[in-house]
Amino acid sequence: MDITTLIAIFGPALWKVFETLLEKGSDTMLVKGFEPFKDWVSSGYDAAKDEEQLRDAVLAALTELKASGELAPGEALFATLNLTGLDEKTRLQLAACAVSMTRVAPASIPADLLKSLNIPEERRPLLARFLYALRGQLARMERYQDGIRYADGMDKIGLLRTLTGDIALVAERLEAIGALEDALIISRRLTADDAEALRGYLALVREKWEGLMLPLLRKKSGDITSARLKQVFVPLALRDLRAEEEAHRRMGKNRQPEKMLKEEEQTRPVEIGELINRYPKFILVGPPGCGKTTLLSRVALAFAEGRAAADLNWQGAGLFPIFLRLRNFGAFLKQNRDDFSEPASGALVAYLENQFRDGERISLTADFFDRRLAEGNCLVLMDGLDEVSDLRNEVACHIDAFIARYASQGNRFGLASRPRGYESVELQLRRSGLSVAEVNPLEMRGIRQLIENLLTLIEPDGGLRATDLDNLTRAIAASEDLTRIAGTPLFCSALVQVYKYHGARLPNRRVDVFDEIVDLLLGYWRAQQRHLSEAEQLASEDGTGKQFREVKDAVAVKQRRLSYLAEYMQVTLKKAEITREEAEAVLVGYLLARERVPNEDTAQTWAGNFLINSHERSGLLVERDPGVYSFLHKGFMEYLAASSLVNQSKTVVETLLAHLAEDWWEQVILLSGAHPKLSEDLRVELVTEILNRAESLQPGSETWQRHLLMAGLLARDMAEFLPGPEHERVEKTLYTAATDGATPPKQRADLADSLDELGYAPVDLHSFISISNSQSPKFLIAKFPVTNAQYARFLKPENFENEALWTGFPTFD
């Protein structure tokens, strides 16, 4: 055996295997106690330091085989062993087999590995014994022993057996990434500096986009971590509004059944890959937490890894992905008004350069993004149009100019926004010709898949995991309210954790889901972990060293601080991100005024430590970029801001009414109105005042419609917490407006939708009318037509389990 060649190929591959193990283990939080190993993996393979011990381990393994009589004296281990010219997959598989060979298991060695090494089948047992011996020797080497101990830990929870298969996937991914980067460099004729910048950029964004800021509570360790995108991703169905409009227009002209069926096929829900294949410019529209950001991240990652064809069924050439969040673009424009006083394509390019060069601190060549866009075949994905609270009209105009300038080079564009955020600037973006796609809620199959993905990450016990999956899926399917909530991925993930850790009844309102998950993240859940000896201590930590008598006191204090910060970001800053310096200043002011901190120096220390604790312990307020904090999801900021406003009982209604027309405030108003701590009197006052104001407005006006819709949404979210008379008044007002022929049809439809969300149904909904004349026999027809939603429910097999949905109709059981 050529020891030198073996070491040269085995060392770097072994490091990659340990890196994969660490990544795999972080999903189960098997990191504690292995910091030296983690540091070594993070520092990368060092040939000068690591080759000597690896050589000693190989020689010792060979000596062990000879001493046991398994290798005859003077016999080469494999005279024909092929060690030169091995591809990356073979190298990684060989190293993975060594790490996972906890016992002599010849069958675990892949057949393609034997073939690549030119080893005959009869030598497979000998290779297994050598790898087993090598593993034992590595366990004795200072530089490798932590890695083997880590692998042993993985083996105890059953995760080591899949290592060889995982490594094969890693090798395929590395191969695809290398091929993608080489193809981009060749096709764009990049210089050496530009090629290096491109590789650095893609490496950074792959790591960034692969992370999914989703708070997952680890049962064994009690730590909070974020999931990886591909671990939890569930495809979402999209409603293609342009395809629907065109199909309906064609159906109106041609009523032939076969052509109508063809047109209906065009209006079926699509997945994100099909949407990108259809349209070079699109916008995803959907409510908070529905998965818009996740979809864009998934698309960006697929192109960054060279897997767009496999993952998205992408039909075209490879695209260069660019993903940016628009939340701070307005602030950037305000700071650079002299350069961008009028809508210009360069504003977004300058913002991009600023974000990556100054924010991410990566070395980019001059005009890096400008050149990529000029070369064409870029995919620019812009997230969070609704999160731009400042200068949104101007931002939209700059986006429009950007798309107009670079679309002709063959670039493609995708945006994402909550509905109101897009509606407020639809006119400014009309020239861009964006195809609109609504993100549909998850159906029961998707809900079950997401629950299963999440449970796989947080529950290591396979039997308990299966039981949890069945019980939780059944509970959600049995409740229409829970099914609606779980259809939103963010809330579905929260329900899973509330079910796992809180031991409480599942909440059936959005605001209650927020309430439960915030309590969990801030510490209440820790007290449920009885096997943790320091559970209450962990729950009480806030980073300041402050002592609390009970867990509930610590949670309340942490929530009040975060609520105050969230209100500042909502009301004063009007941004979903805040710099560390500004966050500390806000918290210092709060601590001095509200918590009787003795002096400003102490308050400054407490504020800084609390921010660190919030990032590391709760995962609720996180440092997304160096020196820049934001809440895990904008919805958490809105809920906490609402919590702060609700505590100001004397002014809360006045504050909410003052911002009723602003879409930036919509969710805060709804969450405030439904908040469990808002008194019944204030709920009544808020809804009553909105309806009273609507009566003084011009029917059919945009402001009038806004008031009625917000009253309907508030009544929906308040549910049984809004007294009957006020709930009935909302229904009557919406019904009157929706059935008024003088109201424009689009407004009537929107108002009717709001009425439907309240669960309104006429008392004679199930009535039938007798139809007869002298020429035809008597028959009955339903008084009300069947809606699409009713028909869809009828088609879903799981609904037949609930007899109430299809029996109990008078005379027609």
Side-chain angles (χ1 to χ4, degrees):
M1 174 183 286
D2 184 346
I3 299 295
T4 302
T5 304
L6 178 63
I7 300 301
I9 67 168
F10 198 71
L14 192 62
W15 168 75
K16 190 65 182 177
V17 168
F18 283 136
E19 185 182 65
T20 303
L21 265 183
L22 186 63
E23 180 179 310
K24 190 178 175 73
S26 67
D27 299 334
T28 57
M29 291 311 297
L30 188 64
V31 178
K32 289 184 176 297
F34 292 98
E35 280 75 13
F37 165 60
K38 182 179 179 181
D39 292 342
W40 173 69
V41 170
S42 300
S43 66
Y45 179 72
D46 188 332
K49 294 180 180 178
D50 300 325
E51 277 192 2
E52 183 178 351
Q53 289 197 7
L54 183 55
R55 181 184 300 276
D56 291 343
V58 170
L59 291 173
L62 290 171
T63 301
E64 183 180 330
L65 282 181
K66 291 177 182 177
S68 66
E70 294 175 284
L71 189 64
E75 179 189 358
L77 181 57
F78 301 110
T80 58
L81 188 64
N82 177 23
L83 294 175
T84 58
L86 294 180
D87 60 24
E88 186 75 6
K89 180 180 179 181
T90 302
R91 298 180 184 198
L92 290 174
Q93 279 185 317
L94 182 62
C97 281
V99 173
S100 59
M101 197 67 69
T102 56
R103 58 186 178 83
V104 180
S108 67
I109 301 174
D112 58 340
L113 176 59
L114 291 179
K115 184 176 180 181
S116 298
L117 292 173
N118 197 27
I119 296 175
E121 179 63 33
E122 60 269 19
R123 290 276 190 161
R124 181 196 288 260
L126 185 57
L127 176 59
R129 287 194 293 272
F130 166 70
L131 294 175
Y132 173 74
L134 176 60
R135 187 184 195 277
Q137 293 299 329
L138 289 172
R140 300 182 179 93
M141 300 294 172
E142 181 184 356
R143 292 288 291 175
Y144 293 95
Q145 61 186 6
D146 286 329
I148 299 300
R149 284 176 53 226
Y150 191 87
D152 289 340
M154 296 286 286
D155 188 47
K156 287 179 181 177
I157 57 177
L159 294 179
L160 192 61
R161 67 175 67 98
T162 62
L163 178 60
T164 305
D166 295 335
I167 280 295
L169 294 176
V170 169
E172 290 175 10
R173 178 172 175 264
L174 291 173
E175 184 178 1
I177 288 172
L180 166 72
E181 293 177 351
D182 290 343
L184 287 172
I185 290 168
I186 293 170
S187 65
R188 294 170 185 265
R189 299 183 178 86
L190 300 186
T191 64
D193 288 344
D194 249 6
E196 183 179 351
L198 180 140
R199 292 187 192 276
Y201 164 79
L202 288 175
L204 172 76
V205 297
R206 277 193 293 266
E207 180 179 354
K208 194 177 183 68
W209 299 338
E210 194 174 32
L212 181 66
M213 291 311 298
L214 186 69
L216 293 180
L217 313 177
R218 301 298 188 186
K219 185 174 181 180
K220 283 199 169 184
S221 67
D223 279 337
I224 306 276
T225 188
S226 60
R228 290 188 176 275
L229 176 58
K230 287 189 283 190
Q231 291 172 312
V232 298
F233 181 77
V234 174
L236 299 175
L238 307 173
R239 182 185 171 198
D240 184 346
L241 299 187
R242 175 175 289 186
E244 284 187 14
E245 184 179 340
E246 292 176 352
H248 291 160
R249 187 176 64 252
R250 291 192 294 266
M251 287 169 65
K253 295 178 180 179
N254 193 324
R255 309 300 294 177
Q256 296 179 21
E258 65 277 4
K259 292 192 175 181
M260 291 178 65
L261 286 172
K262 183 178 180 181
E263 298 299 344
E264 287 178 3
E265 172 65 17
Q266 294 298 311
T267 65
R268 64 175 173 78
V270 300
E271 290 188 8
I272 186 67
E274 190 170 350
L275 188 77
I276 296 172
N277 277 306
R278 283 185 182 182
Y279 305 115
K281 295 173 282 188
F282 66 88
I283 182 168
L284 302 178
V285 177
C290 71
K292 300 181 296 294
T293 299
T294 301
L295 280 173
L296 291 188
S297 298
R298 184 71 187 91
V299 169
L301 184 61
F303 280 100
E305 290 185 340
R307 294 189 50 81
D311 293 353
L312 306 173
N313 195 28
W314 169 242
Q315 304 296 315
L319 301 177
F320 180 77
I322 300 171
F323 182 97
L324 66 147
R325 299 181 185 276
L326 293 169
R327 59 175 57 161
N328 286 328
F329 185 39
F332 176 83
L333 288 176
K334 189 179 290 187
Q335 294 170 0
N336 296 274
R337 277 200 177 279
D338 292 344
D339 296 327
F340 307 110
S341 57
E342 297 292 332
S345 61
L348 263 171
V349 179
Y351 177 62
L352 268 172
E353 301 274 359
N354 176 268
Q355 286 289 96
F356 279 92
R357 185 176 287 116
D358 298 336
E360 301 289 354
R361 311 300 297 174
I362 65 172
S363 179
L364 293 177
T365 51
D367 303 325
F368 179 82
F369 290 105
D370 226 346
R371 291 184 183 182
R372 304 293 81 81
L373 289 162
E375 292 161 356
N377 281 339
C378 293
L379 175 62
V380 186
L381 302 170
M382 294 171 268
D383 186 36
L385 180 62
D386 56 285
E387 295 183 19
V388 181
S389 63
D390 217 7
L391 307 178
R392 185 180 296 156
N393 287 344
E394 289 186 36
V395 165
C397 290
H398 281 282
I399 292 172
D400 180 71
F402 175 77
I403 293 175
R405 164 70 176 80
Y406 289 108
S408 58
Q409 278 90 345
N411 298 303
R412 304 173 78 90
F413 308 88
L415 287 85
S417 175
R418 295 180 183 181
R420 282 275 295 171
Y422 173 59
E423 290 166 7
S424 66
V425 293
E426 187 175 2
L427 185 63
Q428 287 85 346
L429 291 170
R430 186 163 295 172
R431 181 179 63 154
S432 296
L434 299 173
S435 298
V436 181
E438 290 183 354
V439 182
N440 288 342
L442 287 170
E443 295 189 350
M444 206 58 228
R445 182 184 302 175
I447 291 172
R448 182 180 176 87
Q449 184 60 60
L450 180 56
I451 292 172
E452 185 174 7
N453 293 350
L454 292 165
L455 287 174
T456 300
L457 293 178
I458 64 178
E459 177 52 70
D461 186 326
L464 184 56
R465 190 163 62 235
T467 301
D468 288 340
L469 175 62
D470 288 340
N471 290 345
L472 185 52
T473 304
R474 191 179 301 113
I476 289 173
S479 165
E480 198 169 324
D481 289 333
L482 282 175
T483 301
R484 185 180 65 251
I485 289 174
T488 301
L490 176 68
F491 297 134
C492 185
S493 72
L495 286 176
V496 171
Q497 294 176 91
V498 169
Y499 172 83
K500 283 296 297 177
Y501 299 118
H502 224 213
R505 180 179 62 86
L506 288 175
N508 57 11
R509 299 188 307 154
R510 284 189 322 135
V511 68
D512 296 327
V513 176
F514 274 124
D515 190 51
E516 294 275 8
I517 197 66
V518 165
D519 271 358
L520 285 173
L521 293 174
L522 291 181
Y524 265 143
W525 74 277
R526 296 179 185 277
Q528 306 291 334
Q529 308 300 305
R530 295 173 185 170
H531 58 277
L532 287 177
S533 60
E534 301 178 352
E536 292 200 6
Q537 178 183 337
L538 290 170
S540 298
E541 287 180 1
D542 69 346
T544 68
K546 190 174 181 179
Q547 299 297 312
F548 299 94
R549 287 181 299 178
E550 296 184 40
V551 170
K552 66 179 182 179
D553 298 329
V555 171
V557 167
K558 288 186 279 189
Q559 182 164 347
R560 282 197 296 269
R561 291 174 189 164
L562 290 174
S563 295
Y564 185 82
L565 184 62
E567 183 191 352
Y568 175 84
M569 293 167 69
Q570 173 70 29
V571 179
T572 305
L573 203 58
K574 295 182 180 178
K575 287 167 56 178
E577 289 185 341
I578 186 169
T579 64
R580 181 191 294 117
E581 291 76 12
E582 192 165 8
E584 286 182 358
V586 172
L587 288 169
V588 165
Y590 174 85
L591 291 167
L592 289 170
R594 305 288 181 88
E595 296 192 22
R596 296 182 300 175
V597 178
N599 54 63
E600 189 167 341
D601 287 343
T602 301
Q604 187 72 44
T605 301
W606 279 25
N609 290 342
F610 177 68
L611 284 178
I612 295 171
N613 180 270
S614 297
H615 174 84
E616 294 181 349
R617 285 291 186 195
S618 76
L620 194 55
L621 180 71
V622 295
E623 190 174 15
R624 288 195 187 275
D625 296 309
V628 179
Y629 281 80
S630 67
F631 284 92
L632 179 69
H633 185 279
K634 189 185 174 191
F636 287 104
M637 184 192 85
E638 292 164 328
Y639 167 75
L640 289 166
S643 300
S644 182
L645 292 171
V646 165
N647 286 331
Q648 303 164 38
S649 57
K650 293 182 180 180
T651 59
V652 60
V653 172
E654 180 183 345
T655 300
L656 298 179
L657 290 172
H659 297 285
L660 196 67
E662 302 173 35
D663 64 275
W664 172 254
W665 274 80
E666 179 175 281
Q667 295 302 314
V668 174
I669 294 171
L670 296 178
L671 291 167
S672 297
H675 202 285
K677 292 182 180 177
L678 188 70
S679 70
E680 183 177 292
D681 288 345
L682 290 177
R683 293 185 214 278
V684 170
E685 180 184 346
L686 177 61
V687 172
T688 300
E689 185 60 29
I690 291 174
L691 293 177
N692 289 344
R693 291 186 179 190
E695 290 178 354
S696 67
L697 297 170
Q698 177 64 40
S701 67
E702 185 177 336
T703 307
W704 169 82
Q705 180 189 18
R706 176 67 171 167
H707 277 67
L708 295 190
L709 288 176
M710 287 300 291
L713 292 171
L714 281 165
R716 176 202 68 188
D717 289 354
M718 291 178 183
E720 68 273 12
F721 293 93
L722 181 66
E726 283 70 29
H727 199 285
E728 185 176 351
R729 184 185 174 191
V730 173
E731 286 188 343
K732 286 183 176 179
T733 303
L734 288 172
Y735 181 85
T736 301
T739 56
D740 184 352
T743 304
K746 174 67 167 62
Q747 284 190 335
R748 292 176 63 189
D750 290 342
L751 294 167
D753 285 342
S754 180
L755 186 65
D756 182 59
E757 289 196 47
L758 289 178
Y760 172 83
V763 293
D764 55 349
L765 176 65
H766 301 138
S767 298
F768 286 75
I769 300 170
S770 175
I771 307 293
S772 64
N773 57 42
S774 57
Q775 284 77 37
S776 63
K778 178 179 179 180
F779 66 97
L780 301 172
I781 188 169
K783 181 175 181 180
F784 293 92
V786 175
T787 66
N788 290 338
Q790 290 168 330
Y791 185 55
R793 282 173 58 180
F794 176 76
L795 291 179
K796 293 179 182 177
E798 62 266 20
N799 284 338
F800 288 98
E801 297 175 8
N802 182 357
E803 292 190 6
L805 294 176
W806 55 275
T807 61
F809 294 95
T811 315
F812 299 100
D813 270 4

